[in-house]
Amino acid sequence: MASTADDRTGTKEAEAVPDVLATSPDTTEGAGRNGEASENIGADEIPGVEQEGAPALSTLGAEMPGPAEAVGASAELAPILPKGFASADERPREDAAAPQPQLSWYQRLRRGLARTSSQLTGQIASLFTKRKLDEATLQDLEDLLIQADLGVETAMRITDTLSSERYGKDVTGEDVSRIMAGEITKVLGPVAKPLELDLSHKPHVILVVGVNGTGKTTTIGKLAAKLSGAGLKVMLAAGDTFRAAAIEQLKIWAERTKSDIVSSKLGADAAGLAYEAYERAREKKSDVLIIDTAGRLQNKAELMAELEKIVRVLGKLDPDAPHTVLQTLDATTGQNALQQVEIFRNVAGVSGLIMTKLDGTARGGILVAISAKHKLPVYFIGVGEGIDDLEPFEAKDFAEAIAGLGGA
Ligand SMILES: Nc1nc2c(ncn2[C@@H]2O[C@H](COP(=O)(O)OP(=O)(O)OP(=O)(O)O)[C@@H](O)[C@H]2O)c(=O)[nH]1
């Protein structure tokens, strides 16, 4: 499923992210606390990451003095977070001067969701041809909505609203689409949030988890580009110690995004690597440490236990770490994604989601069902393989794309 590292990273250069929505808090307070916490780590929890014959860990990447160092010295020089992120104490504000979202990603989102929406709107249109709204039609509509992965709860919200507005009357496909978009927006609105970074933690640790091939490494590259483009000092940790290609792929992303990287030998213990990466990030005064993990199926108990251990080890270094646990979900997956979230959430304490591959033949309905059930924040969506193909999640855009409303 995965392509080569070269394929994945493409040819475009990393770009600074100009969108300005929030400033960060003073970052000078966290370092001392982390220093104390690190002494409490149990020796049994730190597997040997130092290997004989080869340096077990390497730190590559930007050595240049980043603006982030200045951040530690003065709150006035705090980095300005890019669009889609928020600092812990200041929510992003609507910025009239911010550039409007590019049409291109929106078109890709709509194209990705076109199969879901055109199939659904086609079926809805034929359902309501010359029929007044009655119980049987409402039941048929509910079935269609459930088949589109929207989930029973949202399907019922849509049919209930339609029924209260139009029962016994003529109904057009457009009526249904409008109500559908409105109800989906109500479900997604509360979960469409910026990714909040608490930069008093130095580093703020982001752990990225998910099933194989869901886009973890690519998403990390895209996040690193946004953060380092905004002047933050970023370190990546190649915690997917199973696949050499995954480590190489992350190194390429580190180079492209001017991030530091900590990696280990193939087969090294992932929790040990996470521990070492945290220490390195603290030494180098990184603002953000993003830890990649090996893809794993949610039903593989041994691999899930390894993930639990990574979380435990980080928690000994800083009781609040990992501060953010992101799960990537592949939008081409259907119902299985619900179970993926359930289990990763229990094991790794997932705090937010990123749905990738919405530019493909996506089945976006499942995100609605997941949001209704888990109410986890959805921070970004992936709309391509390129470095800038990560967009903040917007409930209304997404709802309209599924309902086949609005134009590109
Ligand atoms: N079209 C498209 N492809 C994507 C997107 N995100 C990731 N991919 C591709 O999906 C494939 C898998 O991505 P990876 O980032 O390697 O996924 P992973 O979760 O790290 O994979 P494992 O290490 O095997 O668990 C790669 O070919 C990526 O280029 C996206 O938003 N859109």
Side-chain angles (χ1 to χ4, degrees), residues 141-270:
L141 175 62
E142 194 177 306
D143 292 346
L144 286 181
L145 297 170
I146 292 169
Q147 278 162 30
D149 296 325
L150 291 170
V152 178
E153 195 183 322
T154 307
M156 286 176 66
R157 285 177 72 142
I158 294 167
T159 51
D160 285 352
T161 307
L162 184 66
S163 172
S164 66
E165 280 189 22
R166 313 279 318 159
Y167 198 83
K169 299 181 185 153
D170 288 329
V171 175
T172 64
E174 287 76 44
D175 291 331
V176 182
S177 289
R178 177 180 48 79
I179 288 169
M180 189 161 71
E183 293 303 320
I184 293 175
T185 304
K186 283 185 204 160
V187 175
L188 296 180
V191 302
K193 292 183 177 158
L195 172 49
E196 193 172 286
L197 297 180
D198 183 351
L199 296 176
S200 67
H201 295 290
K202 210 165 177 69
H204 181 105
V205 180
I206 302 178
L207 182 68
V208 182
V209 302
V211 164
N212 321 47
T214 50
K216 291 178 293 301
T217 310
T218 309
T219 301
I220 289 170
K222 294 171 180 177
L223 286 171
K226 286 185 188 297
L227 293 171
S228 66
L232 291 168
K233 195 169 164 65
V234 179
M235 181 171 281
L236 307 182
D240 182 350
T241 56
F242 285 96
R243 287 196 312 119
I247 299 171
E248 285 313 306
Q249 187 191 348
L250 200 70
K251 283 182 180 170
I252 292 168
W253 278 114
E255 266 173 48
R256 296 185 71 203
T257 60
K258 300 189 172 27
S259 305
D260 293 321
I261 181 165
V262 177
S263 62
S264 67
K265 270 174 62 169
L266 202 59
D269 185 278

Side-chain angles (χ1 to χ4, degrees), residues 38-178:
S38 69
E39 286 162 24
N40 296 330
I41 184 90
D44 58 327
E45 294 288 350
I46 314 165
V49 289
E50 306 271 335
Q51 308 285 332
E52 265 197 294
L57 297 153
S58 59
T59 305
L60 306 176
E63 295 296 334
M64 57 183 191
E69 277 159 1
V71 168
S74 164
E76 274 151 39
L77 296 179
I80 293 168
L81 296 177
K83 189 178 171 193
F85 292 88
S87 62
D89 64 350
E90 187 185 347
R91 288 279 168 166
R93 56 188 180 274
E94 287 303 323
D95 186 341
Q100 292 304 303
Q102 303 245 324
L103 217 53
S104 56
W105 76 260
Y106 187 56
Q107 283 172 325
R108 269 177 281 155
L109 168 67
R110 293 190 67 87
R111 211 172 34 233
L113 290 174
R115 184 183 281 186
T116 302
S117 69
S118 63
Q119 196 178 346
L120 191 56
T121 50
Q123 288 167 327
I124 289 171
S126 52
L127 184 63
F128 287 99
T129 309
K130 296 189 190 120
R131 267 175 85 173
K132 300 220 182 289
L133 189 62
D134 57 16
E135 280 308 322
T137 336
L138 282 168
Q139 188 56 57
D140 289 347
L141 175 62
E142 194 177 306
D143 292 346
L144 286 181
L145 297 170
I146 292 169
Q147 278 162 30
D149 296 325
L150 291 170
V152 178
E153 195 183 322
T154 307
M156 286 176 66
R157 285 177 72 142
I158 294 167
T159 51
D160 285 352
T161 307
L162 184 66
S163 172
S164 66
E165 280 189 22
R166 313 279 318 159
Y167 198 83
K169 299 181 185 153
D170 288 329
V171 175
T172 64
E174 287 76 44
D175 291 331
V176 182
S177 289
R178 177 180 48 79

